[in-house]
Amino acid sequence: MYLTKEKKAEIFAKHNESATDTGSSEGQIALFTFRINHLTEHLKGNRKDYNTERSLVKLVGKRRNLLDYLIKTDIVRYREIIQELGIRK
């Protein structure tokens, strides 16, 4: 499996105050970004995998909703997470 418990805890620990704080927007955005990058790599080799493509589109939408929420509540945190993850080119 590409996402182990340790890797997930590491992602949350890097983007939150603690590894057990899984509900913060920054942690969820970082986790979605990790999964999006993994699915994008998978789709480069498997172009006709439409189920994965659908999952990717749903994840991008979820991440977009969280980013929209974050931009409304705290623009500074939004800019930090965007720069840290390198989402915007």
Side-chain angles (χ1 to χ4, degrees), residues 34-87:
F34 179 80
R35 291 174 62 192
I36 287 168
N37 291 338
H38 180 265
L39 291 178
T40 302
E41 290 300 317
H42 172 77
L43 283 173
K44 287 180 182 177
N46 303 290
R47 294 177 183 241
K48 292 190 177 185
D49 190 354
Y50 299 116
N51 291 325
T52 302
E53 185 178 352
R54 182 173 186 265
S55 298
L56 176 64
V57 170
K58 289 177 73 82
L59 272 176
V60 170
K62 285 182 180 182
R63 184 178 71 178
R64 180 73 254 161
N65 286 341
L66 281 172
L67 287 169
D68 288 344
Y69 165 76
L70 202 57
I71 207 169
K72 288 178 195 171
T73 57
D74 193 355
I75 190 75
V76 174
R77 287 172 42 200
Y78 170 80
R79 289 182 180 147
E80 287 174 358
I81 195 74
I82 290 296
Q83 186 168 6
E84 189 174 331
L85 295 174
I87 295 174

Side-chain angles (χ1 to χ4, degrees), residues 1-2 4 8 11 21-22 24 33 36 43 46 54 77 79 83:
M1 183 166 199
Y2 75 98
T4 61
K8 197 174 194 179
I11 290 171
D21 182 19
T22 59
S24 71
T33 301
I36 287 168
L43 283 173
N46 303 290
R54 182 173 186 265
R77 287 172 42 200
R79 289 182 180 147
Q83 186 168 6

